[in-house]
Amino acid sequence: MNKRQLAAQNTKRKLITAALELIKENGFDIINVEDITRKAGVAKGTFYTYFKRKEDIVLDISRVPFSEIVDELLLMESMEITKKLTHYCKRFMECVESCGINICRQWTRDVLDPNHVPNNKDGQKWNFDVEMLKTILENAVMDNELKPDTPIELLTHVIICELYGMMTCWCMSDGKFEPLDWVERFCDVQLEKILEQFTVK
Amino acid sequence: MNKRQLAAQNTKRKLITAALELIKENGFDIINVEDITRKAGVAKGTFYTYFKRKEDIVLDISRVPFSEIVDELLLMESMEITKKLTHYCKRFMECVESCGINICRQWTRDVLDPNHVPNNKDGQKWNFDVEMLKTILENAVMDNELKPDTPIELLTHVIICELYGMMTCWCMSDGKFEPLDWVERFCDVQLEKILEQFTVK
DNA sequence: CATATAATTGACCCAAGGTCAATGACTTAA
DNA sequence: TTAAGTCATTGACCTTGGGTCAATTATATG
């Protein structure tokens, strides 16, 4: 990586850091692009070198904490399926809480925006690796923990639905409940039931 | 209701009808306030007599179908709790489907908008009567279907989470799955389990 | 009929997202 | 070393569209 690329990387990092602090504190709609660039110490136009639209920076902000979960799960390869899924769900809500309401709010609003086209290489819209969840379930089928005819696509969607539902409701309720208590209750009560009919006894 | 009030009511109805068609067809961000007023046959300023902000009209659009569910549930008073809740959930997703993705998307984005202050009299932000759900559960406790120490607030939130999760994911996935199949699976597999520990045997 | 009230209008304002030609620092190849 | 090429940076400028408001018109009231 040469000098120019390093400088560019640094500029992007400065923008993301500035935006993170400003949005977390004030909310996405309150601040404008110039607030971000001023805090980052660059010109307004520079923002648009790295992000197509004002909204796009939120995806990049939230990507960092969530990407850690994928690494953690790789280390849990040998564990049983419910342990892995429980970890996945709990860590998801931990990330939600650490990002804060303003970021999660805007992230959800972004993904619901039909104009939103992700600008990252892999075209991934969800910040959280849904593919990872699928892989966990596929491995469980291969390991004969789950029946061969398990509808993986469906189960993936069910769990994602649950997590996004919790996140959305948490934001809507202005943080009235504890995300971690919430997800724990879900794992204890519902998760096993969801898997039950596909589990090999 | 005198002539003037009737005309005003009619103007508002025209605006809502015009907006419904335009948003359902094109999406909220694509159309602007003038598109709505042009289609309704009124001036731009008139819009702001009835709605504080462009976004506020979406709440009014979606209120109609959802309000019907409350009436239906009043007719089911004598039925058992799972029947009532199943009906509630299924009808919710029916409304979601009939509103269409563009309306539901924008509705969710609205409620996640921290600037959003509902303009309707009762200050209700959710278009769907959450209080109704609470009432159903409270009645079940009184009828000794559910234990006296049932955490009603919690159960209400759990079910709302599920429904909003389904709606949000449906919108995010661009309508890739069937809302009705989805909610049926939820009612069959998870609903009973959620209630189980509070059910009087 | 005069006064009060409420709905309607559309020209206008303006915040802020987004553009782009010019600049200059850095890279590359001869 | 140097000249050509590349690319991040800049900030004045453009544009869109949400929202305002004084004037007007229609209706209600006494």
Side-chain angles (χ1 to χ4, degrees), chain B residues 5-37:
Chain B
Q5 289 169 313
L6 268 165
Q9 193 191 39
N10 192 41
T11 304
K12 188 172 183 184
R13 196 188 44 73
K14 278 193 291 182
L15 283 168
I16 292 178
T17 309
L20 168 63
E21 285 178 34
L22 286 171
I23 297 172
K24 210 168 178 179
E25 185 91 8
N26 307 98
F28 182 80
D29 294 326
I30 305 297
I31 62 156
N32 57 40
V33 174
E34 272 183 291
D35 291 331
I36 298 173
T37 53

mmCIF file of all heavy atoms in Angstrom, chain B residues 5-37:
data_model
loop_
_atom_site.group_PDB
_atom_site.id
_atom_site.type_symbol
_atom_site.label_atom_id
_atom_site.label_comp_id
_atom_site.label_asym_id
_atom_site.label_seq_id
_atom_site.Cartn_x
_atom_site.Cartn_y
_atom_site.Cartn_z
ATOM 1 N N GLN B 5 -67.194 21.455 7.099
ATOM 2 C CA GLN B 5 -66.518 20.291 7.672
ATOM 3 C C GLN B 5 -66.534 19.106 6.717
ATOM 4 O O GLN B 5 -65.572 18.343 6.627
ATOM 5 C CB GLN B 5 -67.174 19.907 9.001
ATOM 6 C CG GLN B 5 -66.890 20.909 10.117
ATOM 7 C CD GLN B 5 -67.753 20.675 11.337
ATOM 8 O OE1 GLN B 5 -68.972 20.491 11.216
ATOM 9 N NE2 GLN B 5 -67.140 20.679 12.510
ATOM 10 N N LEU B 6 -67.659 18.982 6.003
ATOM 11 C CA LEU B 6 -67.774 17.898 5.033
ATOM 12 C C LEU B 6 -66.760 18.068 3.905
ATOM 13 O O LEU B 6 -66.114 17.108 3.486
ATOM 14 C CB LEU B 6 -69.184 17.869 4.449
ATOM 15 C CG LEU B 6 -70.171 16.962 5.165
ATOM 16 C CD1 LEU B 6 -71.609 17.284 4.741
ATOM 17 C CD2 LEU B 6 -69.865 15.502 4.867
ATOM 18 N N ALA B 7 -66.637 19.319 3.449
ATOM 19 C CA ALA B 7 -65.685 19.594 2.368
ATOM 20 C C ALA B 7 -64.263 19.301 2.825
ATOM 21 O O ALA B 7 -63.462 18.725 2.085
ATOM 22 C CB ALA B 7 -65.820 21.055 1.934
ATOM 23 N N ALA B 8 -63.968 19.688 4.058
ATOM 24 C CA ALA B 8 -62.625 19.459 4.596
ATOM 25 C C ALA B 8 -62.330 17.967 4.682
ATOM 26 O O ALA B 8 -61.265 17.491 4.272
ATOM 27 C CB ALA B 8 -62.504 20.110 5.968
ATOM 28 N N GLN B 9 -63.299 17.223 5.199
ATOM 29 C CA GLN B 9 -63.150 15.773 5.309
ATOM 30 C C GLN B 9 -62.911 15.149 3.938
ATOM 31 O O GLN B 9 -62.094 14.239 3.782
ATOM 32 C CB GLN B 9 -64.427 15.201 5.936
ATOM 33 C CG GLN B 9 -64.301 13.771 6.401
ATOM 34 C CD GLN B 9 -65.654 13.179 6.761
ATOM 35 O OE1 GLN B 9 -66.660 13.434 6.098
ATOM 36 N NE2 GLN B 9 -65.676 12.397 7.820
ATOM 37 N N ASN B 10 -63.622 15.687 2.967
ATOM 38 C CA ASN B 10 -63.492 15.190 1.607
ATOM 39 C C ASN B 10 -62.107 15.488 1.026
ATOM 40 O O ASN B 10 -61.496 14.641 0.375
ATOM 41 C CB ASN B 10 -64.578 15.819 0.720
ATOM 42 C CG ASN B 10 -64.675 15.130 -0.608
ATOM 43 O OD1 ASN B 10 -64.595 13.897 -0.679
ATOM 44 N ND2 ASN B 10 -64.820 15.900 -1.662
ATOM 45 N N THR B 11 -61.615 16.662 1.310
ATOM 46 C CA THR B 11 -60.275 17.039 0.842
ATOM 47 C C THR B 11 -59.224 16.097 1.422
ATOM 48 O O THR B 11 -58.355 15.600 0.710
ATOM 49 C CB THR B 11 -59.946 18.481 1.261
ATOM 50 O OG1 THR B 11 -60.962 19.350 0.769
ATOM 51 C CG2 THR B 11 -58.609 18.915 0.716
ATOM 52 N N LYS B 12 -59.328 15.830 2.723
ATOM 53 C CA LYS B 12 -58.369 14.944 3.362
ATOM 54 C C LYS B 12 -58.442 13.538 2.750
ATOM 55 O O LYS B 12 -57.415 12.915 2.471
ATOM 56 C CB LYS B 12 -58.627 14.877 4.871
ATOM 57 C CG LYS B 12 -57.547 14.127 5.624
ATOM 58 C CD LYS B 12 -57.687 14.203 7.126
ATOM 59 C CE LYS B 12 -56.508 13.485 7.788
ATOM 60 N NZ LYS B 12 -56.616 13.440 9.255
ATOM 61 N N ARG B 13 -59.677 13.076 2.517
ATOM 62 C CA ARG B 13 -59.867 11.763 1.930
ATOM 63 C C ARG B 13 -59.233 11.684 0.545
ATOM 64 O O ARG B 13 -58.564 10.714 0.196
ATOM 65 C CB ARG B 13 -61.372 11.453 1.848
ATOM 66 C CG ARG B 13 -61.725 9.990 1.626
ATOM 67 C CD ARG B 13 -63.232 9.820 1.353
ATOM 68 N NE ARG B 13 -63.770 10.810 0.421
ATOM 69 C CZ ARG B 13 -63.535 10.817 -0.886
ATOM 70 N NH1 ARG B 13 -62.777 9.893 -1.426
ATOM 71 N NH2 ARG B 13 -64.047 11.765 -1.659
ATOM 72 N N LYS B 14 -59.418 12.768 -0.239
ATOM 73 C CA LYS B 14 -58.829 12.810 -1.577
ATOM 74 C C LYS B 14 -57.311 12.731 -1.508
ATOM 75 O O LYS B 14 -56.667 12.046 -2.311
ATOM 76 C CB LYS B 14 -59.260 14.102 -2.304
ATOM 77 C CG LYS B 14 -60.637 14.020 -2.934
ATOM 78 C CD LYS B 14 -60.875 15.186 -3.885
ATOM 79 C CE LYS B 14 -60.996 16.526 -3.158
ATOM 80 N NZ LYS B 14 -61.269 17.658 -4.058
ATOM 81 N N LEU B 15 -56.737 13.432 -0.537
ATOM 82 C CA LEU B 15 -55.276 13.419 -0.373
ATOM 83 C C LEU B 15 -54.791 12.020 -0.015
ATOM 84 O O LEU B 15 -53.813 11.520 -0.580
ATOM 85 C CB LEU B 15 -54.854 14.425 0.706
ATOM 86 C CG LEU B 15 -54.858 15.896 0.288
ATOM 87 C CD1 LEU B 15 -54.718 16.795 1.502
ATOM 88 C CD2 LEU B 15 -53.739 16.168 -0.711
ATOM 89 N N ILE B 16 -55.487 11.389 0.925
ATOM 90 C CA ILE B 16 -55.073 10.054 1.357
ATOM 91 C C ILE B 16 -55.192 9.048 0.213
ATOM 92 O O ILE B 16 -54.286 8.240 -0.024
ATOM 93 C CB ILE B 16 -55.896 9.599 2.578
ATOM 94 C CG1 ILE B 16 -55.531 10.462 3.793
ATOM 95 C CG2 ILE B 16 -55.670 8.127 2.898
ATOM 96 C CD1 ILE B 16 -56.297 10.147 5.053
ATOM 97 N N THR B 17 -56.292 9.122 -0.510
ATOM 98 C CA THR B 17 -56.485 8.202 -1.635
ATOM 99 C C THR B 17 -55.404 8.390 -2.693
ATOM 100 O O THR B 17 -54.816 7.422 -3.193
ATOM 101 C CB THR B 17 -57.868 8.432 -2.279
ATOM 102 O OG1 THR B 17 -58.864 8.401 -1.265
ATOM 103 C CG2 THR B 17 -58.168 7.376 -3.326
ATOM 104 N N ALA B 18 -55.137 9.652 -3.026
ATOM 105 C CA ALA B 18 -54.124 9.946 -4.043
ATOM 106 C C ALA B 18 -52.756 9.440 -3.591
ATOM 107 O O ALA B 18 -52.027 8.792 -4.352
ATOM 108 C CB ALA B 18 -54.068 11.448 -4.309
ATOM 109 N N ALA B 19 -52.422 9.725 -2.331
ATOM 110 C CA ALA B 19 -51.116 9.322 -1.809
ATOM 111 C C ALA B 19 -50.989 7.804 -1.792
ATOM 112 O O ALA B 19 -49.954 7.246 -2.170
ATOM 113 C CB ALA B 19 -50.914 9.886 -0.411
ATOM 114 N N LEU B 20 -52.047 7.142 -1.365
ATOM 115 C CA LEU B 20 -52.030 5.678 -1.314
ATOM 116 C C LEU B 20 -51.670 5.082 -2.667
ATOM 117 O O LEU B 20 -50.753 4.266 -2.778
ATOM 118 C CB LEU B 20 -53.403 5.167 -0.856
ATOM 119 C CG LEU B 20 -53.665 3.664 -1.005
ATOM 120 C CD1 LEU B 20 -52.703 2.868 -0.146
ATOM 121 C CD2 LEU B 20 -55.095 3.312 -0.634
ATOM 122 N N GLU B 21 -52.369 5.530 -3.682
ATOM 123 C CA GLU B 21 -52.118 4.980 -5.021
ATOM 124 C C GLU B 21 -50.703 5.292 -5.496
ATOM 125 O O GLU B 21 -49.994 4.421 -5.996
ATOM 126 C CB GLU B 21 -53.133 5.553 -6.018
ATOM 127 C CG GLU B 21 -54.522 4.937 -5.864
ATOM 128 C CD GLU B 21 -55.524 5.568 -6.835
ATOM 129 O OE1 GLU B 21 -55.121 5.938 -7.954
ATOM 130 O OE2 GLU B 21 -56.714 5.702 -6.462
ATOM 131 N N LEU B 22 -50.299 6.540 -5.313
ATOM 132 C CA LEU B 22 -48.980 6.954 -5.812
ATOM 133 C C LEU B 22 -47.848 6.228 -5.091
ATOM 134 O O LEU B 22 -46.889 5.769 -5.716
ATOM 135 C CB LEU B 22 -48.810 8.469 -5.650
ATOM 136 C CG LEU B 22 -49.597 9.323 -6.648
ATOM 137 C CD1 LEU B 22 -49.528 10.792 -6.267
ATOM 138 C CD2 LEU B 22 -49.062 9.124 -8.062
ATOM 139 N N ILE B 23 -47.967 6.128 -3.761
ATOM 140 C CA ILE B 23 -46.881 5.506 -2.992
ATOM 141 C C ILE B 23 -46.834 4.003 -3.261
ATOM 142 O O ILE B 23 -45.775 3.422 -3.458
ATOM 143 C CB ILE B 23 -47.051 5.781 -1.485
ATOM 144 C CG1 ILE B 23 -46.956 7.283 -1.218
ATOM 145 C CG2 ILE B 23 -45.991 5.038 -0.674
ATOM 146 C CD1 ILE B 23 -47.289 7.687 0.199
ATOM 147 N N LYS B 24 -48.012 3.378 -3.292
ATOM 148 C CA LYS B 24 -48.079 1.939 -3.534
ATOM 149 C C LYS B 24 -47.415 1.598 -4.867
ATOM 150 O O LYS B 24 -46.689 0.616 -4.984
ATOM 151 C CB LYS B 24 -49.547 1.494 -3.551
ATOM 152 C CG LYS B 24 -49.773 0.083 -3.075
ATOM 153 C CD LYS B 24 -51.243 -0.202 -2.849
ATOM 154 C CE LYS B 24 -51.443 -1.641 -2.418
ATOM 155 N NZ LYS B 24 -52.861 -1.952 -2.158
ATOM 156 N N GLU B 25 -47.669 2.438 -5.834
ATOM 157 C CA GLU B 25 -47.156 2.216 -7.187
ATOM 158 C C GLU B 25 -45.671 2.545 -7.314
ATOM 159 O O GLU B 25 -44.898 1.770 -7.866
ATOM 160 C CB GLU B 25 -47.952 3.103 -8.164
ATOM 161 C CG GLU B 25 -47.622 2.912 -9.631
ATOM 162 C CD GLU B 25 -48.534 1.859 -10.263
ATOM 163 O OE1 GLU B 25 -49.499 1.402 -9.600
ATOM 164 O OE2 GLU B 25 -48.294 1.517 -11.424
ATOM 165 N N ASN B 26 -45.289 3.721 -6.773
ATOM 166 C CA ASN B 26 -43.957 4.248 -7.075
ATOM 167 C C ASN B 26 -42.977 4.264 -5.919
ATOM 168 O O ASN B 26 -41.772 4.343 -6.133
ATOM 169 C CB ASN B 26 -44.090 5.684 -7.596
ATOM 170 C CG ASN B 26 -45.057 5.789 -8.751
ATOM 171 O OD1 ASN B 26 -46.211 6.155 -8.569
ATOM 172 N ND2 ASN B 26 -44.596 5.421 -9.924
ATOM 173 N N GLY B 27 -43.490 4.241 -4.696
ATOM 174 C CA GLY B 27 -42.589 4.383 -3.543
ATOM 175 C C GLY B 27 -42.598 5.802 -3.024
ATOM 176 O O GLY B 27 -42.741 6.764 -3.780
ATOM 177 N N PHE B 28 -42.423 5.922 -1.739
ATOM 178 C CA PHE B 28 -42.569 7.203 -1.035
ATOM 179 C C PHE B 28 -41.553 8.257 -1.485
ATOM 180 O O PHE B 28 -41.893 9.424 -1.655
ATOM 181 C CB PHE B 28 -42.420 6.959 0.468
ATOM 182 C CG PHE B 28 -42.603 8.174 1.314
ATOM 183 C CD1 PHE B 28 -43.875 8.632 1.622
ATOM 184 C CD2 PHE B 28 -41.511 8.862 1.798
ATOM 185 C CE1 PHE B 28 -44.053 9.762 2.413
ATOM 186 C CE2 PHE B 28 -41.681 9.994 2.588
ATOM 187 C CZ PHE B 28 -42.951 10.442 2.889
ATOM 188 N N ASP B 29 -40.313 7.836 -1.676
ATOM 189 C CA ASP B 29 -39.259 8.809 -1.991
ATOM 190 C C ASP B 29 -39.365 9.331 -3.406
ATOM 191 O O ASP B 29 -38.929 10.442 -3.696
ATOM 192 C CB ASP B 29 -37.878 8.165 -1.796
ATOM 193 C CG ASP B 29 -37.624 7.825 -0.341
ATOM 194 O OD1 ASP B 29 -38.094 8.578 0.520
ATOM 195 O OD2 ASP B 29 -36.974 6.809 -0.082
ATOM 196 N N ILE B 30 -39.930 8.510 -4.292
ATOM 197 C CA ILE B 30 -40.018 8.896 -5.694
ATOM 198 C C ILE B 30 -41.002 10.045 -5.876
ATOM 199 O O ILE B 30 -40.756 10.968 -6.635
ATOM 200 C CB ILE B 30 -40.464 7.686 -6.555
ATOM 201 C CG1 ILE B 30 -39.523 6.500 -6.322
ATOM 202 C CG2 ILE B 30 -40.546 8.049 -8.022
ATOM 203 C CD1 ILE B 30 -38.095 6.725 -6.722
ATOM 204 N N ILE B 31 -42.123 9.957 -5.203
ATOM 205 C CA ILE B 31 -43.144 10.990 -5.395
ATOM 206 C C ILE B 31 -42.918 12.143 -4.424
ATOM 207 O O ILE B 31 -42.352 11.968 -3.359
ATOM 208 C CB ILE B 31 -44.562 10.428 -5.197
ATOM 209 C CG1 ILE B 31 -44.733 9.918 -3.757
ATOM 210 C CG2 ILE B 31 -44.853 9.327 -6.186
ATOM 211 C CD1 ILE B 31 -46.145 9.906 -3.316
ATOM 212 N N ASN B 32 -43.342 13.342 -4.838
ATOM 213 C CA ASN B 32 -43.241 14.490 -3.944
ATOM 214 C C ASN B 32 -44.641 15.009 -3.603
ATOM 215 O O ASN B 32 -45.637 14.542 -4.157
ATOM 216 C CB ASN B 32 -42.350 15.575 -4.551
ATOM 217 C CG ASN B 32 -42.840 16.028 -5.908
ATOM 218 O OD1 ASN B 32 -44.037 16.171 -6.125
ATOM 219 N ND2 ASN B 32 -41.921 16.241 -6.819
ATOM 220 N N VAL B 33 -44.664 15.966 -2.697
ATOM 221 C CA VAL B 33 -45.950 16.458 -2.191
ATOM 222 C C VAL B 33 -46.806 17.014 -3.328
ATOM 223 O O VAL B 33 -48.028 16.838 -3.352
ATOM 224 C CB VAL B 33 -45.726 17.527 -1.099
ATOM 225 C CG1 VAL B 33 -47.044 18.145 -0.666
ATOM 226 C CG2 VAL B 33 -45.030 16.905 0.102
ATOM 227 N N GLU B 34 -46.164 17.656 -4.290
ATOM 228 C CA GLU B 34 -46.938 18.220 -5.409
ATOM 229 C C GLU B 34 -47.585 17.124 -6.258
ATOM 230 O O GLU B 34 -48.665 17.329 -6.800
ATOM 231 C CB GLU B 34 -46.042 19.118 -6.271
ATOM 232 C CG GLU B 34 -46.029 20.543 -5.755
ATOM 233 C CD GLU B 34 -45.206 21.488 -6.627
ATOM 234 O OE1 GLU B 34 -43.973 21.321 -6.629
ATOM 235 O OE2 GLU B 34 -45.801 22.354 -7.280
ATOM 236 N N ASP B 35 -46.922 15.986 -6.387
ATOM 237 C CA ASP B 35 -47.538 14.866 -7.111
ATOM 238 C C ASP B 35 -48.855 14.484 -6.442
ATOM 239 O O ASP B 35 -49.856 14.230 -7.111
ATOM 240 C CB ASP B 35 -46.606 13.641 -7.099
ATOM 241 C CG ASP B 35 -45.352 13.846 -7.942
ATOM 242 O OD1 ASP B 35 -45.420 14.613 -8.926
ATOM 243 O OD2 ASP B 35 -44.308 13.259 -7.611
ATOM 244 N N ILE B 36 -48.815 14.440 -5.122
ATOM 245 C CA ILE B 36 -50.005 14.039 -4.368
ATOM 246 C C ILE B 36 -51.118 15.069 -4.533
ATOM 247 O O ILE B 36 -52.253 14.726 -4.852
ATOM 248 C CB ILE B 36 -49.669 13.867 -2.865
ATOM 249 C CG1 ILE B 36 -48.628 12.758 -2.671
ATOM 250 C CG2 ILE B 36 -50.932 13.545 -2.066
ATOM 251 C CD1 ILE B 36 -48.117 12.622 -1.244
ATOM 252 N N THR B 37 -50.775 16.339 -4.336
ATOM 253 C CA THR B 37 -51.817 17.372 -4.412
ATOM 254 C C THR B 37 -52.349 17.509 -5.835
ATOM 255 O O THR B 37 -53.538 17.741 -6.033
ATOM 256 C CB THR B 37 -51.272 18.726 -3.918
ATOM 257 O OG1 THR B 37 -50.083 19.056 -4.612
ATOM 258 C CG2 THR B 37 -51.005 18.683 -2.428
#
